[in-house]
Amino acid sequence: MTAVTDAELNALADDLYDRSGDDDVELARLMHELDPEIAIRLCTSDLTNAAQVYMYAFNEVPDEEVYDLLLLEPSSQLLRGVRVGTVELAELVMGFDKTKNLFFIGVWNGEKFVAAFAGDESYDRAAAYARKNCSA
């Protein structure tokens, strides 16, 4: 396990922001160069926002509406889940699974998660699932 202090993580975040020129796509690319444990720690802290983590986790820029929602959320909120949309009768929620150490887009039916998708195209796959399985 790679251990870094809070001060080192703060300095790393500052360095990444400087190197990326505050470009979120470039920041996500630079985070992929980090040790995965350090990247996850950064992506679940208050040093990044959820939009930046979306780009890191799913290798794509979210559509404008989702981007605007996530931009306002510190990435630490992903530990609790952040609603990123509604499809049919389901909510799509971006979160982080601590046991699997991965970011996901989950389909919430109002009572429980009925599906979760990780990796590329997670949002589109979750929305397609919701359209097929969560309609009235």
Side-chain angles (χ1 to χ4, degrees):
M1 178 175 197
T2 306
V4 295
T5 66
D6 288 343
E8 290 170 326
L9 197 64
N10 285 328
L12 174 61
D14 287 343
D15 179 59
L16 290 172
Y17 281 118
D18 287 344
R19 290 176 39 213
S20 69
D22 290 328
D23 178 288
D24 289 339
V25 173
E26 179 63 10
L27 179 68
R29 188 193 69 72
L30 291 170
M31 287 193 297
H32 277 285
E33 295 176 359
L34 299 174
D35 176 288
E37 289 180 26
I38 293 172
I40 286 172
R41 185 151 169 231
L42 185 62
C43 289
T44 55
S45 73
D46 288 330
L47 299 172
T48 54
N49 65 54
Q52 295 161 332
V53 176
Y54 182 103
M55 292 177 218
Y56 167 78
F58 307 122
N59 298 309
E60 67 180 12
V61 177
D63 69 27
E64 189 173 340
E65 185 177 315
V66 172
Y67 181 84
D68 289 344
L69 284 170
L70 294 174
L71 186 62
L72 300 174
E73 296 288 343
S75 53
S76 61
Q77 282 299 110
L78 297 172
L79 297 170
R80 301 183 73 178
V82 175
R83 188 184 69 76
V84 293
T86 302
V87 176
E88 297 293 338
L89 300 176
E91 289 187 355
L92 303 185
V93 176
M94 182 179 169
F96 180 71
D97 183 332
K98 290 183 198 178
T99 60
K100 295 180 181 176
N101 247 12
L102 80 127
F103 295 95
F104 66 89
I105 302 289
V107 180
W108 178 261
N109 72 1
E111 296 178 14
K112 64 181 178 181
F113 283 108
V114 293
F117 301 87
D120 296 352
E121 300 179 9
S122 290
Y123 186 93
D124 292 339
R125 292 184 293 138
Y129 179 93
R131 279 190 292 278
K132 182 177 179 184
N133 299 290
C134 301
S135 59

